[in-house]
Structures are given as structure tokens and as C-alpha cells.
Amino acid sequence: ATWERVVESGFGDPLVVWVNELEAFDGMLYAVTEDSDTGMQVWRSDSGDLGTWARVGAETLSATEVLSEKLLAEFDGKLYLGRTRANLAELWVSEDGAAWAQVSIPGLSSSNDAVGAFAEFEGSLYLGFRNTLGGEVWRTANGTAFEQVAAGGLGDPANVRPYGLQVFQDELYLSFGNEAQGAELWKAVDGEKWELLMVH
């Protein structure tokens, strides 16, 4: 009911016009921003209070043409960042929130142009990728080895983008945006055998 402003004027840069994501990790609150020139920044604070925010990862994460959502997820004691740069999906990881490294996902094609969703399910991190040939879902149990568990929009190439991954009652739910026939909702008990629940 009562709100207090803790960041003003785009973290001190009026060109920073969006905060795309917030995530708590290792006692810090992280914010991912985007400026009007499509550059990306990551900020963090140990209290969330005004005047306590500091930028991290500038030397590795700074880049132009960073578009679409920037998503954060904590998994296995690490912080993961998904983003789009130059029309390609990228995954980054940090153990301390300050030093970042790009993660290689063998087999991920150039048709995957955005990371659309994260979820932790049964000991693995699941990633939803927007794909112009139909959305995909990949998973990893250790952050280095990845396997694909959904491809081609699960049979409909118009299911271009997985907008959400969510665990509910020990099942993994997956939502697709579909501009041709309407949104779809799927679920999987094991994270790989998918059942359609709703279609337009």
C-alpha cells in the first residue's frame, strides 16, 4: 500500500527507460535494464534502498543491439541471464553476480532468437527459446550439458514463442504465444512428454 522510490532517472542515465527483470540472488537484488539505444545494463543492491545500487558486468555484458526480454534465474547456486543480441539468443552465467561468462549450448540453431522463459524443475533448469520455425525448450542439470525437450512448437510452427514455464503441483507447464490460432498451454509430468491442455 505504501511505496518508496528507490531508483530515479534510469539509474542516473535518462536513456535507461526500462527495467526488464528483477531477481534476488545471494543476498542481493538484481535489475536488468535497457536504454533507448538498445544497450543493456545489470545493477544490484544489497538492500534495494535508494543510493545503494551499483552496476555489475559492464565489461562483458555491455553491447548494443540487445533486444527483447532479458530474463534472470537462479539455479544451482549460480545466476543465469538470457537475452537477445543481434537477433541471436544468448545465455550467460555468473557465480557471484559480478563476473559473467557466456554459456555455449551445442545444437542450438540460429533460428532461436530469444530466451522467453526459465523454470527449475526436478533438478534441472529449463529454458524456453523463441524460434522462427517453432519454439523450443531445452534443459540442463549442470549448466554445461544441454538437451532439447521440445521443438518445432510441439507440432505447430506458429507456436513461435514459449512465453512461460511454471511448475505447479509437481508438473511443468509451458505456454506458447500463437498469433495464427491463439495461445496454447501444455504440461509435462517428466519435463519432456507434453500434453496439450488448451488451444485458442
Side-chain angles (χ1 to χ4, degrees):
T2 304
W3 292 85
E4 175 186 354
R5 183 182 298 171
V6 296
V7 169
E8 298 178 305
S9 303
F11 294 85
D13 181 356
L15 291 179
V16 174
V17 293
W18 293 285
V19 176
N20 296 77
E21 176 80 334
L22 294 169
E23 179 75 19
F25 171 69
D26 196 25
M28 308 281 277
L29 180 62
Y30 287 76
V32 182
T33 72
E34 182 177 327
D35 66 33
S36 55
D37 293 327
T38 66
M40 193 196 80
Q41 300 175 7
V42 178
W43 293 76
R44 70 179 180 183
S45 167
D46 60 0
S47 67
D49 294 335
L50 183 67
T52 65
W53 293 85
R55 189 176 175 187
V56 294
E59 63 282 354
T60 51
L61 293 175
S62 294
T64 57
E65 297 185 48
V66 177
L67 304 173
S68 188
E69 285 81 359
K70 294 106 190 137
L71 301 178
L72 290 169
E74 180 181 0
F75 174 69
D76 195 27
K78 300 179 180 66
L79 187 61
Y80 287 84
L81 165 69
R83 71 178 190 181
T84 298
R85 179 164 60 114
N87 296 318
L88 295 174
E90 293 183 348
L91 182 65
W92 292 72
V93 65
S94 175
E95 295 188 3
D96 60 5
W100 292 83
Q102 190 170 356
V103 179
S104 173
I105 305 178
L108 190 70
S109 76
S110 60
S111 299
N112 291 288
D113 60 12
V115 180
F118 281 128
E120 183 176 350
F121 179 61
E122 293 188 343
S124 291
L125 179 65
Y126 285 73
L127 305 89
F129 288 94
R130 171 187 157 89
N131 188 301
T132 54
L133 304 177
E136 298 182 358
V137 179
W138 293 65
R139 69 182 175 191
T140 178
N142 57 16
T144 56
F146 291 81
E147 66 173 328
Q148 186 185 78
V149 293
L154 291 176
D156 186 352
N159 285 332
V160 171
R161 181 172 181 168
Y163 269 95
L165 284 164
Q166 182 64 49
V167 179
F168 178 66
Q169 294 184 350
D170 298 323
E171 295 176 314
L172 182 61
Y173 286 75
L174 166 65
S175 64
F176 276 114
N178 186 317
E179 295 183 3
Q181 300 174 1
E184 294 185 1
L185 185 62
W186 297 71
K187 73 173 182 179
V189 176
D190 58 1
E192 58 183 77
K193 297 182 181 67
W194 298 93
E195 173 189 353
L196 179 62
L197 299 179
M198 180 187 358
V199 59
H200 62 86

